Amino acid sequence: MEYLDFAVGLARAAGDVLKYYMDREKQVEFKGRANLVTIADRESEALIIGEIQRQFPGHAILAEESGAGGVADAEARWIIDPLDGTTNFAHQYPFFCVSIGFELQGEIICGAVYDPSRDHMFSGSRGNGSFVNGQRLHVSGVDQLGHALLMTGFPYRVGEKIDMAMTQFRNFMLASQAIRRGGSAALDLCYVAQGKCDGFWELDLQPWDTAAGRVILEEAGGRITEFAGNPYSVYMKQVLASNGRIHDEMLDVLKRT
Ligand code: IPD
Ligand code: CA
Ligand code: CA
């Protein structure tokens, strides 16, 4: 598929930018107390946007660092996180990625997430399955929350939502086998798609964090909703993603918070 192949090529090229800066001076700046941006975020985004504008000048763009661009009312939109996991990246903790999702008439139809540290290329498109380095992805078979490994993340301005975040964390801690906080929501979704973990929730995400990951997860057999179980849109803040089998149990935990 033309758009998927393009997204995959672009995610790999942007991943090379991140790899280049991994061991070099990153020119860290602060968008907020704990919210960083580096030269790698900016160069990765510039490369991605430049290529999209060259190849698809009529499309819309939504990118984390530069916001909306391209043709505003186009029915095709690229949704980009040039570096998901910037805090990890700034500390040389190797769990970060490039995420590129493609939306057509309001639906995310394909996406690519590239982890340059492991050379893992996750990709998926509606109706055609999802893959890591060409190998088909399937969610796990874990069917009880008590046996599940979960992932989560916290917003940068966690202070504003600390009570809700801690109550959810506590309740899932008591109900699951264990929880990990990876630091890259896009990779977290791909890990649920790959069956490396069984569920993921986060309370304040952005479209670029989840656009590619959502199609990869759903094409691997996973389920994604907001916290009350309603259909998910990448423009919503709350995300609950799972292998499907433990989704209702996770919803029950969220309803208690
Ligand atoms: C962040 C990561 C992190 C999540 C934050 C996101 P960034 O994105 O996905 O895992 O917990 O909510 O903002 O800033 O590294 O692109
Ligand atoms: Ca992000
Ligand atoms: Ca980012």
Side-chain angles (χ1 to χ4, degrees):
M1 190 228 223
E2 182 194 4
Y3 297 127
L4 181 62
D5 291 346
F6 178 74
V8 165
L10 211 44
R12 192 179 298 283
D16 287 343
V17 173
L18 307 189
K19 240 186 332 204
Y20 174 84
Y21 282 111
M22 179 68 172
D23 316 312
R24 290 181 169 81
E25 166 56 43
K26 299 181 178 64
Q27 300 180 24
V28 178
E29 292 164 40
F30 290 83
K31 295 193 275 186
R33 185 189 62 80
N35 193 356
L36 313 179
V37 62
T38 71
I39 187 170
D41 297 70
R42 296 195 200 286
E43 282 197 10
S44 168
E45 184 159 310
L47 180 146
I48 295 167
I49 290 177
E51 281 301 306
I52 292 171
Q53 287 183 329
R54 212 164 55 84
Q55 194 72 22
F56 302 110
H59 288 185
I61 293 170
L62 178 61
E64 177 172 13
E65 307 307 335
S66 49
V71 177
D73 55 358
E75 41 176 50
R77 181 187 316 277
W78 295 91
I79 305 178
I80 300 153
D81 195 333
L83 167 44
D84 187 51
T86 297
T87 306
N88 288 343
F89 178 80
H91 290 268
Q92 316 224 44
Y93 181 92
F95 193 75
F96 55 84
C97 64
V98 178
S99 173
I100 302 176
F102 181 66
E103 182 190 70
L104 195 59
Q105 296 172 334
E107 200 198 346
I108 308 294
I109 61 160
C110 67
V113 171
Y114 182 55
D115 168 358
S117 309
R118 292 167 192 76
D119 191 24
H120 284 168
M121 178 62 74
F122 295 91
S123 64
S125 67
R126 283 272 167 246
N128 298 309
S130 53
F131 300 84
V132 60
N133 295 350
Q135 221 181 337
R136 187 92 190 218
L137 293 174
H138 299 284
V139 293
S140 73
V142 171
D143 62 0
Q144 288 175 46
L145 186 52
H147 295 166
L149 178 62
L150 304 181
M151 298 188 95
T152 190
F154 302 106
Y156 287 115
R157 288 154 57 172
V158 71
E160 292 168 11
K161 297 193 173 142
I162 190 76
D163 292 339
M164 188 181 180
M166 288 301 112
T167 306
Q168 288 174 350
F169 195 86
R170 177 181 189 279
N171 289 346
F172 276 123
M173 192 89 179
L174 292 169
S176 67
Q177 196 167 76
I179 304 176
R180 303 287 176 257
R181 196 280 193 245
S184 163
L187 276 182
D188 293 343
L189 289 169
C190 292
Y191 275 35
V192 180
Q194 199 177 8
K196 283 181 177 164
C197 67
D198 313 300
F200 164 73
W201 86 98
E202 189 157 344
L203 54 74
D204 195 1
L205 287 175
Q206 301 291 336
W208 44 81
D209 296 316
T210 61
R214 89 158 290 178
V215 62
I216 291 167
L217 172 83
E218 288 181 309
E219 285 297 316
R223 184 174 165 200
I224 186 163
T225 66
E226 46 77 272
F227 286 176
N230 296 308
Y232 175 69
S233 142
V234 297
Y235 300 101
M236 292 172 172
K237 302 264 176 213
Q238 305 176 341
V239 183
L240 172 61
S242 78
N243 64 5
R245 296 172 174 90
I246 59 164
H247 206 89
D248 288 342
E249 269 192 277
M250 289 189 78
L251 282 171
D252 286 343
V253 171
L254 289 170
K255 277 175 198 153
R256 295 207 301 270
T257 57

